[in-house]
Amino acid sequence: MQLSILSTSDVHGYIRADDFRRPLLNDGLGLSRAATVISDYQQQAQQSGNITLTIENGDFIQGSPLTNYIEKVATDQTNVYQKLADTVKYDVRILGNHEFNFGRAYIENVFAETPNLLNANILDETTQQPFVGEPYQIFERQGVNIGVIGLTTQFIPHWEQPAHIKGLIFEDPVAIAKKYIAELRPNVDVLVLAYHGGFAEDLKTGQPLERVTSENQGYQLLQLAGVDALVTGHQHREIAEVVHGVPTTQPGYRGDHVGLMALTLNESNQCVSATAELLATGNAPEREDIVAIIEPLQEKVDQWLDTPVGHVGDNMQVVDHFAARAHNHPFIELVNQVQMAATGTDISNTALFNDEVRGLGNAVSQRDIMTNYIFPNTLVVEKLTGQDIKDALEVNARYFKIADDGQLTINPLFTTPKVQHYNYDIWSGIDYTFDISQPMGQRVVAIKKDGQPLDMMATYEVAINNYRAGGAGNFPMFSADKIVREVQRETADLIGEYIMAHPEIHIEQPTNLTVIF
Protein backbone atom coordinates (compact mmCIF):
# COMPACT_ATOMS: atom_id res chain seq x y z
CA MET A 1 0.00 0.00 0.00
CA GLN A 2 1.07 3.57 -0.60
CA LEU A 3 0.37 6.60 1.58
CA SER A 4 0.66 9.91 -0.26
CA ILE A 5 1.00 13.14 1.71
CA LEU A 6 -0.14 16.16 -0.29
CA SER A 7 0.57 19.69 0.93
CA THR A 8 0.25 23.33 0.11
CA SER A 9 1.98 26.06 2.07
CA ASP A 10 2.16 29.84 1.98
CA VAL A 11 -0.94 30.31 -0.18
CA HIS A 12 -1.14 33.83 1.33
CA GLY A 13 -4.70 34.47 0.22
CA TYR A 14 -4.09 33.92 -3.48
CA ILE A 15 -7.19 31.85 -4.14
CA ARG A 16 -7.87 32.57 -7.81
CA ALA A 17 -5.20 32.29 -10.51
CA ASP A 18 -4.62 36.02 -10.22
CA ASP A 19 -1.84 38.01 -8.55
CA PHE A 20 -4.01 41.19 -8.67
CA ARG A 21 -1.55 43.26 -10.70
CA ARG A 22 -2.71 45.19 -13.75
CA PRO A 23 -1.84 45.31 -16.60
CA LEU A 24 0.76 42.70 -15.68
CA LEU A 25 -0.68 39.44 -14.45
CA ASN A 26 0.73 36.17 -13.15
CA ASP A 27 -2.01 33.54 -13.34
CA GLY A 28 0.15 30.42 -12.95
CA LEU A 29 -0.71 30.12 -9.29
CA GLY A 30 -3.58 30.04 -6.81
CA LEU A 31 -5.41 27.66 -4.51
CA SER A 32 -7.99 27.11 -7.24
CA ARG A 33 -5.33 25.45 -9.42
CA ALA A 34 -3.67 23.61 -6.53
CA ALA A 35 -7.06 22.21 -5.50
CA THR A 36 -7.46 20.66 -8.94
CA VAL A 37 -4.05 18.99 -8.71
CA ILE A 38 -4.91 17.65 -5.25
CA SER A 39 -8.32 16.28 -6.20
CA ASP A 40 -7.03 14.69 -9.41
CA TYR A 41 -4.26 12.94 -7.51
CA GLN A 42 -6.63 11.79 -4.77
CA GLN A 43 -8.95 10.22 -7.34
CA GLN A 44 -6.05 8.33 -8.92
CA ALA A 45 -4.86 7.12 -5.53
CA GLN A 46 -8.33 5.94 -4.56
CA GLN A 47 -8.71 4.01 -7.82
CA SER A 48 -5.39 2.30 -7.09
CA GLY A 49 -6.45 1.37 -3.57
CA ASN A 50 -3.97 3.77 -1.99
CA ILE A 51 -4.52 6.38 0.71
CA THR A 52 -3.81 10.10 0.98
CA LEU A 53 -3.44 12.77 3.65
CA THR A 54 -3.68 16.47 2.78
CA ILE A 55 -2.02 19.30 4.73
CA GLU A 56 -2.43 23.08 4.55
CA ASN A 57 0.86 24.19 6.07
CA GLY A 58 0.21 27.78 7.13
CA ASP A 59 0.27 31.42 5.95
CA PHE A 60 -3.20 31.02 4.50
CA ILE A 61 -5.11 34.08 5.77
CA GLN A 62 -2.66 36.94 5.09
CA GLY A 63 -0.56 38.23 2.23
CA SER A 64 -2.76 39.41 -0.65
CA PRO A 65 -5.13 42.29 -1.40
CA LEU A 66 -7.96 39.82 -0.81
CA THR A 67 -6.84 39.06 2.75
CA ASN A 68 -6.33 42.77 3.45
CA TYR A 69 -9.82 43.52 2.17
CA ILE A 70 -11.35 40.87 4.43
CA GLU A 71 -9.47 42.17 7.47
CA LYS A 72 -10.15 45.86 6.78
CA VAL A 73 -13.47 46.03 4.93
CA ALA A 74 -15.38 42.74 4.73
CA THR A 75 -14.86 41.87 8.37
CA ASP A 76 -17.89 39.56 8.39
CA GLN A 77 -16.38 37.35 5.68
CA THR A 78 -13.60 35.64 7.64
CA ASN A 79 -15.51 32.34 7.46
CA VAL A 80 -14.58 32.15 3.76
CA TYR A 81 -11.19 30.71 4.75
CA GLN A 82 -12.84 27.76 6.46
CA LYS A 83 -15.21 27.24 3.52
CA LEU A 84 -12.23 27.08 1.19
CA ALA A 85 -10.28 24.69 3.39
CA ASP A 86 -13.32 22.44 3.81
CA THR A 87 -13.85 22.40 0.04
CA VAL A 88 -10.25 21.39 -0.62
CA LYS A 89 -10.81 18.78 2.13
CA TYR A 90 -7.60 19.39 4.01
CA ASP A 91 -7.06 16.83 6.76
CA VAL A 92 -4.69 19.11 8.67
CA ARG A 93 -4.09 22.85 8.94
CA ILE A 94 -1.07 24.56 10.50
CA LEU A 95 -0.48 28.10 11.78
CA GLY A 96 2.01 30.20 9.80
CA ASN A 97 3.97 33.16 11.09
CA HIS A 98 1.96 35.63 8.99
CA GLU A 99 -1.25 34.41 10.60
CA PHE A 100 -0.15 36.62 13.52
CA ASN A 101 0.05 39.82 11.45
CA PHE A 102 -3.57 40.62 12.27
CA GLY A 103 -3.26 39.69 15.94
CA ARG A 104 -4.13 36.87 18.31
CA ALA A 105 -7.83 37.73 18.52
CA TYR A 106 -8.11 37.54 14.72
CA ILE A 107 -6.53 34.07 14.72
CA GLU A 108 -8.87 32.88 17.45
CA ASN A 109 -11.83 34.18 15.45
CA VAL A 110 -10.80 32.81 12.05
CA PHE A 111 -9.89 29.38 13.37
CA ALA A 112 -12.72 29.08 15.89
CA GLU A 113 -14.42 26.38 13.79
CA THR A 114 -11.29 24.56 12.64
CA PRO A 115 -11.17 21.20 14.46
CA ASN A 116 -8.20 20.01 12.39
CA LEU A 117 -5.89 22.95 13.28
CA LEU A 118 -2.66 21.57 14.75
CA ASN A 119 -0.46 23.71 16.96
CA ALA A 120 1.90 21.98 19.36
CA ASN A 121 4.37 24.70 20.27
CA ILE A 122 2.58 28.07 20.61
CA LEU A 123 1.09 28.10 24.07
CA ASP A 124 -1.06 30.35 26.21
CA GLU A 125 1.15 31.57 29.04
CA THR A 126 -1.64 31.11 31.59
CA THR A 127 -2.84 27.63 30.69
CA GLN A 128 0.48 26.36 29.26
CA GLN A 129 -1.62 24.68 26.57
CA PRO A 130 -1.89 25.42 22.83
CA PHE A 131 -3.71 28.76 22.55
CA VAL A 132 -5.63 27.40 19.55
CA GLY A 133 -5.78 23.97 17.99
CA GLU A 134 -4.49 20.64 19.19
CA PRO A 135 -0.87 19.49 19.27
CA TYR A 136 -1.52 16.46 17.09
CA GLN A 137 -4.14 14.21 15.57
CA ILE A 138 -4.25 10.55 14.60
CA PHE A 139 -5.98 9.56 11.36
CA GLU A 140 -7.08 6.07 10.42
CA ARG A 141 -6.94 5.24 6.71
CA GLN A 142 -7.71 1.66 5.64
CA GLY A 143 -6.26 0.27 8.82
CA VAL A 144 -3.20 2.56 8.81
CA ASN A 145 -2.85 4.88 11.80
CA ILE A 146 -1.18 8.15 10.81
CA GLY A 147 -0.06 10.64 13.43
CA VAL A 148 0.53 14.30 12.51
CA ILE A 149 2.20 16.84 14.81
CA GLY A 150 1.72 20.54 13.96
CA LEU A 151 4.61 22.97 14.51
CA THR A 152 5.34 26.62 13.72
CA THR A 153 8.59 28.56 13.66
CA GLN A 154 9.40 29.89 17.11
CA PHE A 155 11.00 33.04 15.63
CA ILE A 156 7.73 35.00 15.40
CA PRO A 157 8.47 37.31 18.38
CA HIS A 158 11.48 38.65 16.46
CA TRP A 159 9.14 40.06 13.79
CA GLU A 160 5.70 40.55 15.22
CA GLN A 161 4.23 43.50 17.06
CA PRO A 162 4.13 42.67 20.79
CA ALA A 163 0.41 43.48 21.02
CA HIS A 164 -0.33 40.80 18.42
CA ILE A 165 1.29 38.01 20.45
CA LYS A 166 0.51 39.12 23.98
CA GLY A 167 0.14 36.22 26.39
CA LEU A 168 1.74 33.66 24.08
CA ILE A 169 4.79 31.45 24.54
CA PHE A 170 6.70 30.27 21.47
CA GLU A 171 8.33 26.98 22.41
CA ASP A 172 11.17 25.29 20.54
CA PRO A 173 9.50 23.11 17.87
CA VAL A 174 12.33 20.55 18.01
CA ALA A 175 11.95 20.00 21.76
CA ILE A 176 8.16 19.89 21.47
CA ALA A 177 8.37 17.44 18.56
CA LYS A 178 10.56 15.10 20.63
CA LYS A 179 7.98 15.18 23.41
CA TYR A 180 5.05 14.28 21.18
CA ILE A 181 6.99 11.78 19.08
CA ALA A 182 7.64 9.81 22.27
CA GLU A 183 3.92 9.97 23.10
CA LEU A 184 2.62 9.18 19.61
CA ARG A 185 5.08 6.71 18.16
CA PRO A 186 3.81 3.62 20.01
CA ASN A 187 0.27 4.32 18.78
CA VAL A 188 0.79 5.03 15.09
CA ASP A 189 2.15 3.31 12.01
CA VAL A 190 3.31 6.52 10.30
CA LEU A 191 4.37 9.77 11.97
CA VAL A 192 4.38 13.06 10.05
CA LEU A 193 5.68 16.44 11.16
CA ALA A 194 3.97 19.46 9.58
CA TYR A 195 6.21 22.46 10.27
CA HIS A 196 5.69 26.03 9.16
CA GLY A 197 9.38 26.70 8.93
CA GLY A 198 12.17 25.80 6.57
CA PHE A 199 15.82 24.87 6.37
CA ALA A 200 18.91 26.87 7.32
CA GLU A 201 21.25 24.05 6.24
CA ASP A 202 22.00 22.12 3.08
CA LEU A 203 19.99 18.90 3.30
CA LYS A 204 22.82 16.74 1.98
CA THR A 205 25.82 18.18 3.82
CA GLY A 206 24.33 19.93 6.83
CA GLN A 207 26.40 23.01 6.01
CA PRO A 208 24.72 26.36 6.77
CA LEU A 209 23.07 28.08 3.82
CA GLU A 210 22.11 31.17 5.80
CA ARG A 211 22.64 32.64 9.23
CA VAL A 212 21.60 29.83 11.56
CA THR A 213 18.98 30.95 14.06
CA SER A 214 15.89 29.30 15.50
CA GLU A 215 13.83 30.54 12.52
CA ASN A 216 14.26 27.52 10.24
CA GLN A 217 14.81 24.26 12.12
CA GLY A 218 13.69 21.79 9.49
CA TYR A 219 17.11 20.16 9.28
CA GLN A 220 17.05 19.45 13.00
CA LEU A 221 13.52 18.02 12.76
CA LEU A 222 14.69 15.64 10.02
CA GLN A 223 17.24 14.17 12.40
CA LEU A 224 14.65 13.14 15.01
CA ALA A 225 14.16 9.42 15.42
CA GLY A 226 10.68 8.15 14.67
CA VAL A 227 9.79 10.69 11.94
CA ASP A 228 8.54 9.24 8.65
CA ALA A 229 7.90 12.48 6.72
CA LEU A 230 8.34 16.24 7.11
CA VAL A 231 6.23 18.96 5.47
CA THR A 232 7.85 22.42 5.54
CA GLY A 233 7.07 25.95 4.33
CA HIS A 234 7.74 29.57 5.27
CA GLN A 235 10.73 30.15 2.97
CA HIS A 236 8.70 29.89 -0.27
CA ARG A 237 11.32 27.48 -1.60
CA GLU A 238 10.65 24.54 -3.91
CA ILE A 239 12.09 21.47 -2.18
CA ALA A 240 11.45 17.77 -2.63
CA GLU A 241 14.11 15.45 -1.26
CA VAL A 242 14.57 12.23 0.66
CA VAL A 243 17.14 12.60 3.45
CA HIS A 244 18.36 9.40 5.09
CA GLY A 245 15.14 7.72 4.06
CA VAL A 246 12.87 10.53 5.29
CA PRO A 247 11.03 12.51 2.60
CA THR A 248 10.49 16.24 2.90
CA THR A 249 8.83 18.88 0.74
CA GLN A 250 8.39 22.64 0.61
CA PRO A 251 5.82 23.56 -2.04
CA GLY A 252 6.69 27.10 -3.04
CA TYR A 253 4.40 30.11 -2.77
CA ARG A 254 0.82 31.13 -3.56
CA GLY A 255 -0.27 27.62 -4.52
CA ASP A 256 2.15 27.36 -7.44
CA HIS A 257 3.12 23.81 -6.38
CA VAL A 258 1.69 20.93 -4.40
CA GLY A 259 4.11 18.89 -2.32
CA LEU A 260 3.84 15.14 -2.74
CA MET A 261 5.52 12.53 -0.55
CA ALA A 262 4.71 8.88 -1.36
CA LEU A 263 5.44 6.34 1.37
CA THR A 264 5.36 2.65 0.52
CA LEU A 265 4.10 0.56 3.44
CA ASN A 266 4.65 -3.14 4.02
CA GLU A 267 2.07 -5.61 5.35
CA SER A 268 2.80 -4.38 8.88
CA ASN A 269 2.08 -0.79 7.78
CA GLN A 270 5.72 0.18 8.23
CA CYS A 271 7.32 2.63 5.80
CA VAL A 272 9.90 0.75 3.72
CA SER A 273 10.63 3.40 1.06
CA ALA A 274 9.65 6.93 0.13
CA THR A 275 9.78 9.46 -2.68
CA ALA A 276 9.28 13.23 -2.77
CA GLU A 277 8.31 15.53 -5.62
CA LEU A 278 6.56 18.80 -6.39
CA LEU A 279 3.53 19.00 -8.65
CA ALA A 280 3.39 22.29 -10.57
CA THR A 281 -0.09 23.78 -10.70
CA GLY A 282 0.28 26.45 -13.39
CA ASN A 283 -1.25 24.39 -16.18
CA ALA A 284 -4.09 22.90 -14.13
CA PRO A 285 -7.57 24.35 -14.61
CA GLU A 286 -9.09 26.28 -11.76
CA ARG A 287 -11.43 24.12 -9.71
CA GLU A 288 -14.92 25.42 -10.24
CA ASP A 289 -16.17 24.94 -6.67
CA ILE A 290 -13.26 26.99 -5.29
CA VAL A 291 -13.91 29.74 -7.85
CA ALA A 292 -17.62 29.76 -6.98
CA ILE A 293 -16.83 30.37 -3.29
CA ILE A 294 -14.37 33.20 -3.78
CA GLU A 295 -15.51 34.98 -6.95
CA PRO A 296 -18.27 37.19 -5.41
CA LEU A 297 -15.79 38.45 -2.83
CA GLN A 298 -12.97 38.80 -5.33
CA GLU A 299 -15.15 40.99 -7.54
CA LYS A 300 -15.63 43.38 -4.61
CA VAL A 301 -11.89 43.32 -3.95
CA ASP A 302 -11.20 44.30 -7.55
CA GLN A 303 -13.67 47.18 -7.31
CA TRP A 304 -11.95 48.35 -4.12
CA LEU A 305 -8.51 48.04 -5.70
CA ASP A 306 -9.52 50.18 -8.66
CA THR A 307 -10.37 53.16 -6.44
CA PRO A 308 -8.35 56.18 -7.69
CA VAL A 309 -5.86 57.63 -5.23
CA GLY A 310 -3.93 60.38 -7.03
CA HIS A 311 -1.04 61.21 -9.35
CA VAL A 312 2.72 60.93 -8.83
CA GLY A 313 4.36 61.84 -12.14
CA ASP A 314 5.87 59.65 -14.81
CA ASN A 315 9.14 58.49 -13.24
CA MET A 316 8.05 56.05 -10.54
CA GLN A 317 7.87 52.86 -12.60
CA VAL A 318 10.55 50.36 -11.60
CA VAL A 319 11.96 48.84 -14.78
CA ASP A 320 15.43 47.75 -13.63
CA HIS A 321 15.26 46.41 -10.09
CA PHE A 322 19.01 45.98 -9.70
CA ALA A 323 19.65 49.56 -10.81
CA ALA A 324 16.97 50.79 -8.38
CA ARG A 325 18.71 49.00 -5.52
CA ALA A 326 22.14 50.21 -6.57
CA HIS A 327 21.21 53.87 -7.15
CA ASN A 328 17.96 54.42 -5.23
CA HIS A 329 14.76 55.26 -7.13
CA PRO A 330 11.92 57.82 -6.95
CA PHE A 331 9.45 55.11 -5.86
CA ILE A 332 11.72 54.06 -2.98
CA GLU A 333 12.22 57.70 -2.09
CA LEU A 334 8.44 58.16 -2.00
CA VAL A 335 8.02 55.34 0.53
CA ASN A 336 10.79 56.80 2.69
CA GLN A 337 9.20 60.27 2.48
CA VAL A 338 5.90 58.75 3.63
CA GLN A 339 7.62 57.05 6.53
CA MET A 340 9.41 60.23 7.57
CA ALA A 341 6.25 62.33 7.33
CA ALA A 342 4.26 59.83 9.39
CA THR A 343 6.89 59.55 12.12
CA GLY A 344 8.29 63.09 12.25
CA THR A 345 11.80 61.94 11.40
CA ASP A 346 14.31 62.95 8.75
CA ILE A 347 16.07 59.59 8.26
CA SER A 348 14.31 56.48 6.98
CA ASN A 349 14.94 53.19 5.25
CA THR A 350 12.83 50.77 3.26
CA ALA A 351 13.30 47.87 0.84
CA LEU A 352 12.24 47.08 -2.70
CA PHE A 353 10.66 43.87 -1.52
CA ASN A 354 10.81 41.70 -4.63
CA ASP A 355 11.13 41.87 -8.39
CA GLU A 356 7.35 41.83 -8.89
CA VAL A 357 7.28 45.40 -7.54
CA ARG A 358 6.79 47.63 -10.57
CA GLY A 359 6.41 51.01 -8.91
CA LEU A 360 3.70 53.48 -9.82
CA GLY A 361 2.37 55.01 -13.03
CA ASN A 362 1.21 58.60 -12.96
CA ALA A 363 -2.40 57.73 -12.11
CA VAL A 364 -2.34 55.68 -8.91
CA SER A 365 -5.09 53.37 -7.69
CA GLN A 366 -5.46 51.41 -4.49
CA ARG A 367 -4.43 48.35 -6.52
CA ASP A 368 -1.11 49.96 -7.38
CA ILE A 369 -0.34 50.59 -3.74
CA MET A 370 -1.42 47.18 -2.48
CA THR A 371 0.52 45.26 -5.14
CA ASN A 372 3.69 47.31 -4.62
CA TYR A 373 3.71 47.50 -0.82
CA ILE A 374 2.64 43.94 -0.09
CA PHE A 375 3.27 43.60 3.66
CA PRO A 376 1.07 44.83 6.54
CA ASN A 377 4.01 46.64 8.10
CA THR A 378 3.61 49.43 10.58
CA LEU A 379 6.25 52.04 11.44
CA VAL A 380 8.67 52.28 14.33
CA VAL A 381 11.08 55.05 15.29
CA GLU A 382 14.33 53.93 16.88
CA LYS A 383 16.96 56.16 18.44
CA LEU A 384 20.22 55.03 16.87
CA THR A 385 23.78 56.22 17.19
CA GLY A 386 25.75 57.15 14.13
CA GLN A 387 27.68 53.94 14.68
CA ASP A 388 24.42 51.95 14.67
CA ILE A 389 23.53 53.51 11.32
CA LYS A 390 26.97 52.72 9.91
CA ASP A 391 26.69 49.13 11.14
CA ALA A 392 23.29 48.77 9.48
CA LEU A 393 24.68 50.17 6.23
CA GLU A 394 27.47 47.58 6.37
CA VAL A 395 24.81 44.88 6.47
CA ASN A 396 23.15 46.49 3.44
CA ALA A 397 26.48 46.66 1.62
CA ARG A 398 26.68 42.85 1.74
CA TYR A 399 23.92 42.79 -0.87
CA PHE A 400 26.47 43.47 -3.61
CA LYS A 401 29.49 41.61 -4.91
CA ILE A 402 31.86 41.91 -7.86
CA ALA A 403 31.32 39.16 -10.42
CA ASP A 404 34.14 37.30 -12.17
CA ASP A 405 33.75 39.58 -15.18
CA GLY A 406 34.27 42.64 -12.98
CA GLN A 407 30.64 43.76 -13.02
CA LEU A 408 28.58 44.60 -9.98
CA THR A 409 26.05 41.89 -9.12
CA ILE A 410 23.96 40.50 -6.26
CA ASN A 411 25.56 38.50 -3.47
CA PRO A 412 24.17 34.94 -3.76
CA LEU A 413 23.42 35.04 -0.03
CA PHE A 414 20.41 37.21 -0.97
CA THR A 415 19.14 34.86 -3.68
CA THR A 416 20.08 31.34 -2.53
CA PRO A 417 18.58 29.28 -1.05
CA LYS A 418 15.84 31.88 -0.58
CA VAL A 419 15.36 35.18 -2.40
CA GLN A 420 15.69 37.95 0.21
CA HIS A 421 15.64 41.30 -1.58
CA TYR A 422 13.47 42.51 1.31
CA ASN A 423 16.53 42.32 3.58
CA TYR A 424 18.38 45.04 1.64
CA ASP A 425 17.34 48.53 2.72
CA ILE A 426 17.75 51.82 0.85
CA TRP A 427 18.07 54.90 3.03
CA SER A 428 16.86 58.47 2.71
CA GLY A 429 17.94 61.51 4.73
CA ILE A 430 21.63 60.61 4.54
CA ASP A 431 24.20 60.46 1.74
CA TYR A 432 26.29 57.30 1.76
CA THR A 433 28.84 55.44 -0.34
CA PHE A 434 29.62 51.74 -0.59
CA ASP A 435 32.97 50.53 -1.92
CA ILE A 436 32.30 46.92 -2.87
CA SER A 437 35.99 46.28 -3.57
CA GLN A 438 36.54 46.37 0.18
CA PRO A 439 35.95 43.41 2.53
CA MET A 440 32.48 43.00 4.03
CA GLY A 441 32.25 45.07 7.18
CA GLN A 442 34.53 47.77 5.72
CA ARG A 443 32.51 48.87 2.70
CA VAL A 444 30.83 52.02 4.04
CA VAL A 445 33.40 54.65 3.12
CA ALA A 446 31.32 57.81 3.57
CA ILE A 447 28.14 58.86 5.40
CA LYS A 448 26.90 62.41 5.51
CA LYS A 449 23.85 64.13 6.92
CA ASP A 450 23.06 67.70 5.88
CA GLY A 451 26.42 67.85 4.13
CA GLN A 452 28.41 66.95 7.22
CA PRO A 453 30.00 63.60 8.20
CA LEU A 454 27.67 61.57 10.36
CA ASP A 455 28.68 61.78 14.02
CA MET A 456 29.30 58.22 15.22
CA MET A 457 28.60 59.20 18.84
CA ALA A 458 25.47 61.30 18.26
CA THR A 459 21.96 59.82 18.25
CA TYR A 460 19.42 60.08 15.46
CA GLU A 461 15.76 59.13 15.17
CA VAL A 462 15.25 56.72 12.28
CA ALA A 463 11.97 55.47 10.77
CA ILE A 464 11.92 51.75 9.98
CA ASN A 465 9.20 49.14 9.63
CA ASN A 466 8.17 46.90 12.49
CA TYR A 467 9.70 43.81 10.83
CA ARG A 468 13.15 45.36 10.78
CA ALA A 469 12.74 47.00 14.18
CA GLY A 470 13.35 43.74 16.01
CA GLY A 471 16.56 43.05 14.12
CA ALA A 472 15.06 40.70 11.52
CA GLY A 473 17.24 40.19 8.47
CA ASN A 474 20.49 40.09 10.47
CA PHE A 475 20.34 43.65 11.79
CA PRO A 476 21.30 43.30 15.49
CA MET A 477 21.77 47.05 15.82
CA PHE A 478 17.96 47.44 15.64
CA SER A 479 16.19 46.34 18.81
CA ALA A 480 13.06 46.90 20.87
CA ASP A 481 14.93 48.77 23.61
CA LYS A 482 15.78 51.52 21.10
CA ILE A 483 12.17 52.21 20.12
CA VAL A 484 10.99 55.69 21.05
CA ARG A 485 7.56 55.67 19.38
CA GLU A 486 5.41 53.75 16.93
CA VAL A 487 2.80 54.52 14.30
CA GLN A 488 0.17 51.78 14.45
CA ARG A 489 -1.04 52.29 10.89
CA GLU A 490 -0.21 50.08 7.96
CA THR A 491 2.32 51.68 5.66
CA ALA A 492 0.25 50.95 2.55
CA ASP A 493 -2.57 53.06 4.03
CA LEU A 494 -0.12 55.84 4.84
CA ILE A 495 1.19 55.82 1.27
CA GLY A 496 -2.34 56.25 -0.10
CA GLU A 497 -3.12 59.08 2.28
CA TYR A 498 0.16 60.83 1.50
CA ILE A 499 -0.52 60.73 -2.24
CA MET A 500 -4.03 62.09 -1.74
CA ALA A 501 -2.66 64.89 0.45
CA HIS A 502 0.03 65.80 -2.11
CA PRO A 503 -1.76 65.89 -5.47
CA GLU A 504 1.26 67.25 -7.37
CA ILE A 505 4.00 64.90 -6.18
CA HIS A 506 7.18 64.94 -8.18
CA ILE A 507 10.31 63.22 -6.89
CA GLU A 508 13.54 63.49 -8.86
CA GLN A 509 15.92 60.56 -9.15
CA PRO A 510 17.69 60.43 -5.76
CA THR A 511 21.47 60.87 -5.72
CA ASN A 512 22.20 60.03 -2.09
CA LEU A 513 23.42 56.44 -2.67
CA THR A 514 26.72 55.77 -4.43
CA VAL A 515 28.09 52.30 -5.09
CA ILE A 516 31.66 52.05 -6.35
CA PHE A 517 33.53 48.92 -7.26
Side-chain angles (χ1 to χ4, degrees):
M1 180 184 293
Q2 191 174 81
L3 164 64
S4 294
I5 301 165
L6 299 153
S7 63
T8 60
S9 190
D10 300 88
V11 170
H12 282 289
Y14 288 89
I15 310 304
R16 290 295 312 273
D18 181 355
D19 70 355
F20 294 96
R21 295 182 301 163
R22 304 289 187 272
L24 297 170
L25 177 66
N26 179 356
D27 64 359
L29 49 79
L31 182 68
S32 56
R33 294 197 192 280
T36 298
V37 172
I38 289 170
S39 59
D40 286 352
Y41 187 91
Q42 287 173 323
Q43 290 174 14
Q44 295 170 12
Q46 185 177 14
Q47 291 169 3
S48 301
N50 293 316
I51 54 179
T52 61
L53 189 83
T54 307
I55 296 174
E56 186 272 292
N57 202 50
D59 280 3
F60 193 79
I61 67 170
Q62 182 281 333
S64 74
L66 175 91
T67 62
N68 285 350
Y69 181 81
I70 292 172
E71 193 268 340
K72 294 173 183 295
V73 182
T75 56
D76 61 342
Q77 296 295 310
T78 55
N79 63 336
V80 73
Y81 298 121
Q82 191 62 45
K83 290 180 182 177
L84 291 165
D86 290 343
T87 303
V88 178
K89 297 183 179 178
Y90 287 113
D91 294 301
V92 167
R93 299 186 67 192
I94 305 298
L95 289 175
N97 58 295
H98 282 287
E99 256 70 76
F100 292 84
N101 288 166
F102 297 141
R104 174 179 177 172
Y106 193 77
I107 291 174
E108 291 171 334
N109 174 48
V110 170
F111 292 99
E113 304 297 329
T114 309
N116 58 346
L117 179 68
L118 300 189
N119 162 37
N121 69 302
I122 304 178
L123 313 180
D124 181 275
E125 65 180 10
T126 301
T127 67
Q128 298 293 305
Q129 298 297 314
F131 85 102
V132 290
E134 299 294 333
Y136 63 81
Q137 284 190 13
I138 297 175
F139 300 86
E140 191 275 330
R141 296 280 195 277
Q142 295 180 208
V144 180
N145 288 323
I146 308 158
V148 185
I149 301 170
L151 304 162
T152 302
T153 176
Q154 65 172 310
F155 215 63
I156 291 168
H158 293 262
W159 309 308
E160 197 51 69
Q161 297 178 47
H164 287 176
I165 56 174
K166 186 176 181 180
L168 298 179
I169 301 170
F170 294 80
E171 294 283 7
D172 177 4
V174 178
I176 293 295
K178 287 181 181 178
K179 169 187 171 182
Y180 286 116
I181 290 169
E183 183 176 325
L184 269 178
R185 190 70 255 190
N187 303 311
V188 299
D189 301 304
V190 177
L191 198 152
V192 181
L193 301 183
Y195 170 53
H196 189 86
F199 299 98
E201 295 89 358
D202 182 276
L203 292 180
K204 291 185 174 65
T205 67
Q207 293 299 308
L209 296 173
E210 59 184 46
R211 181 168 171 256
V212 178
T213 66
S214 58
E215 178 180 355
N216 294 303
Q217 296 174 277
Y219 186 80
Q220 289 70 35
L221 291 171
L222 273 177
Q223 314 308 310
L224 298 180
V227 175
D228 293 304
L230 171 67
V231 176
T232 71
H234 177 55
Q235 294 173 303
H236 301 181
R237 292 170 63 187
E238 297 169 12
I239 298 172
E241 294 194 30
V242 179
V243 183
H244 305 304
V246 181
T248 186
T249 55
Q250 188 171 140
Y253 172 45
R254 300 186 295 194
D256 57 7
H257 289 82
V258 172
L260 169 62
M261 295 182 287
L263 283 61
T264 299
L265 310 180
N266 63 17
E267 293 181 355
S268 300
N269 293 337
Q270 296 171 320
C271 179
V272 294
S273 66
T275 61
E277 63 180 303
L278 297 181
L279 307 177
T281 67
N283 292 325
E286 293 189 87
R287 218 171 89 180
E288 292 181 1
D289 51 356
I290 298 293
V291 173
I293 291 171
I294 203 64
E295 188 59 21
L297 187 57
Q298 184 130 346
E299 288 179 358
K300 294 180 180 178
V301 173
D302 281 324
Q303 293 170 7
W304 176 64
L305 289 175
D306 289 332
T307 304
V309 174
H311 295 80
V312 295
D314 293 321
N315 66 341
M316 285 202 189
Q317 295 97 338
V318 181
V319 177
D320 185 333
H321 292 78
F322 181 76
R325 295 185 179 107
H327 303 295
N328 204 339
H329 188 278
F331 173 71
I332 299 168
E333 182 69 19
L334 170 67
V335 177
N336 273 328
Q337 286 189 15
V338 171
Q339 294 187 170
M340 290 185 287
T343 58
T345 58
D346 56 9
I347 303 176
S348 174
N349 66 49
T350 190
L352 194 61
F353 297 129
N354 61 44
D355 287 351
E356 287 190 354
V357 173
R358 290 293 187 248
L360 304 174
N362 180 33
V364 179
S365 68
Q366 184 72 18
R367 182 187 303 276
D368 298 317
I369 295 169
M370 298 298 297
T371 56
N372 278 281
Y373 200 98
I374 59 176
F375 297 115
N377 292 335
T378 57
L379 297 179
V380 171
V381 177
E382 292 197 2
K383 182 169 284 189
L384 304 174
T385 65
Q387 186 64 51
D388 289 333
I389 293 172
K390 183 176 186 296
D391 292 343
L393 290 171
E394 289 288 1
V395 176
N396 295 142
R398 297 175 191 170
Y399 182 79
F400 300 103
K401 66 169 290 187
I402 301 174
D404 292 340
D405 63 359
Q407 297 301 305
L408 190 68
T409 188
I410 302 172
N411 185 337
L413 291 174
F414 286 82
T415 57
T416 307
K418 177 184 179 181
V419 178
Q420 299 183 61
H421 298 306
Y422 55 84
N423 279 329
Y424 167 69
D425 294 324
I426 299 100
W427 294 62
S428 296
I430 56 174
D431 298 283
Y432 58 105
T433 301
F434 296 153
D435 183 351
I436 308 306
S437 69
Q438 299 302 311
M440 290 188 188
Q442 302 174 37
R443 291 178 165 180
V444 180
V445 295
I447 319 173
K448 291 184 178 181
K449 185 178 188 306
D450 301 325
Q452 299 298 315
L454 196 71
D455 186 339
M456 295 295 105
M457 302 301 293
T459 59
Y460 303 87
E461 291 191 350
V462 178
I464 55 182
N465 66 54
N466 65 289
Y467 173 80
R468 188 71 78 233
N474 196 25
F475 289 85
M477 68 293 303
F478 301 143
S479 59
D481 61 343
K482 297 177 181 178
I483 296 174
V484 293
R485 60 186 177 277
E486 300 183 45
V487 176
Q488 294 292 345
R489 299 279 313 286
E490 290 189 17
T491 305
D493 293 340
L494 296 172
I495 293 170
E497 291 173 7
Y498 186 90
I499 293 172
M500 287 187 282
H502 299 80
E504 299 299 328
I505 291 176
H506 180 73
I507 298 175
E508 297 287 349
Q509 167 63 42
T511 58
N512 67 310
L513 166 58
T514 304
V515 180
I516 59 177
F517 57 101

